[in-house]
Amino acid sequence: MEKLKIVIKKYWKIYLAALVISAVCDLIGTVKLNIGVGTLTLFPMVFAVIFGGLLGPDIFKVFKTEECKIGGSLVLVVLAPFMAKMGISSGANLAKLVSVGPALLLQEFGNLGTILLSMPLALLLGLKKESIGACYSINRDSNLGLTTDIFGPDAPETKGTFAVYIVGSVIGTVFISILASVVASWNIFDPIALGMASGVGSGSMMTAAAGTLGEIYPQQAENIMIMGGASDMLTGITGIYMGTFVGLPLAKKLYAILEPKIGRKNNQEVK
């Protein structure tokens, strides 16, 4: 209890800012914009991330870097009740999960499709071996540990993974919530399929995407959360094996094929 009082006294600005930002963003509500390729739906969470970033050490400097790190760690605390509710809902709807079991398992192979898109872009942007670590997965905690273990902490592959890890931590939830709203506006995918696609292996990103889809399809909100949670759980379990035995070898092979053709000249070779 004494430690809790010390923490509250030291970081009271964070709690106050969170309360004010939450109230302001709730008043703003949901904003929908037609951007040509679809409807861009901005939810209060997106505005909260933007406002929070403006208060950081790089712009208005209301908060120091240490305080920002504390704020980031509190995200897991806030998500914990939601994740528990999602787990209970998944257990109560086990029959639904079983009925789409093969699809949940096969969707993990769909995650590998991003390698085919991201690798050429990375090479065109000038990345070298960093592209292998950056492109083979969504690059969350387990993936960072995997590339560090395989290539070493100072390897370019690990640097690529770490770069995407940082970017994903900063704008991942905003990006995926916007992406979910745009894709949903196309009306070509089933809401349940979109919910399954939300389970990319990051709890916060899954929550952002599934929450956005739940707002767009309120009649399917519960099922979207159930499928998203189950998909995210399976991705977390199988993702490390998929990355080790499929993702990384595929990224290395694709790098070896594409780098001489579209990459900038260098003397590096894939080991």
Side-chain angles (χ1 to χ4, degrees):
M1 183 61 68
E2 190 63 30
K3 289 184 178 180
L4 180 61
K5 291 181 180 179
I6 294 174
V7 171
I8 293 176
K9 183 178 180 180
K10 187 176 182 179
Y11 299 110
W12 64 271
K13 285 196 302 182
I14 296 176
Y15 305 123
L16 178 61
L19 179 62
V20 173
I21 290 174
S22 298
V24 171
C25 293
D26 189 58
L27 289 174
I28 294 174
T30 301
V31 177
K32 295 184 179 181
L33 302 171
N34 190 335
I35 59 173
V37 296
T39 301
L40 177 60
T41 306
L42 301 177
F43 293 96
M45 181 186 66
V46 176
F47 296 113
V49 174
I50 295 173
F51 293 155
L54 292 175
L55 298 177
D58 296 324
I59 303 179
F60 290 114
K61 301 180 180 180
V62 175
F63 298 111
K64 300 177 182 178
T65 302
E66 181 186 0
E67 293 173 321
C68 291
K69 290 180 179 180
I70 291 293
S73 64
L74 293 175
V75 172
L76 294 177
V77 177
V78 176
L79 287 178
F82 177 82
M83 299 298 288
K85 176 182 180 298
M86 187 173 58
I88 294 172
S89 298
S90 299
N93 293 271
L94 189 60
K96 293 181 181 179
L97 298 179
V98 173
S99 66
V100 295
L104 279 173
L105 293 174
L106 291 174
Q107 67 95 30
E108 182 61 35
F109 286 92
N111 295 337
L112 298 173
T114 55
I115 299 175
L116 304 178
L117 174 64
S118 60
M119 180 65 75
L121 291 176
L123 292 175
L124 289 172
L125 289 172
L127 272 69
K128 296 302 178 183
K129 284 189 175 181
E130 293 87 355
S131 61
I132 296 175
C135 300
Y136 87 97
S137 74
I138 192 176
N139 288 331
R140 302 323 300 154
D141 301 78
S142 59
N143 303 114
L144 182 59
L146 176 62
T147 49
T148 301
D149 183 63
I150 293 177
F151 299 105
D154 298 322
E157 292 87 348
T158 303
K159 293 178 181 178
T161 298
F162 187 71
V164 176
Y165 177 87
I166 294 299
V167 172
S169 299
V170 175
I171 65 171
T173 53
V174 176
F175 173 80
I176 200 168
S177 62
I178 293 174
L179 179 64
S181 68
V182 171
V183 174
S185 70
W186 296 344
N187 293 317
I188 59 176
F189 296 107
D190 188 280
I192 301 302
L194 293 175
M196 291 169 56
S198 301
V200 295
S202 168
S204 58
M205 292 185 192
M206 184 282 300
T207 302
T212 298
L213 294 170
E215 291 284 343
I216 297 173
Y217 304 106
Q219 72 281 5
Q220 293 275 23
E222 183 178 358
N223 290 332
I224 289 172
M225 286 295 182
I226 291 171
M227 295 305 171
S231 174
D232 196 68
M233 178 187 66
L234 286 174
T235 299
I237 295 173
T238 62
I240 191 69
Y241 301 105
M242 189 66 71
T244 303
F245 300 111
V246 183
L248 272 174
L250 176 60
K252 292 176 66 176
K253 183 66 176 179
L254 196 60
Y255 176 85
I257 295 173
L258 295 179
E259 199 282 329
K261 298 179 180 179
I262 63 175
R264 296 176 183 174
K265 291 183 179 181
N266 64 31
N267 297 319
Q268 290 180 329
E269 296 180 357
V270 179
K271 295 179 180 180

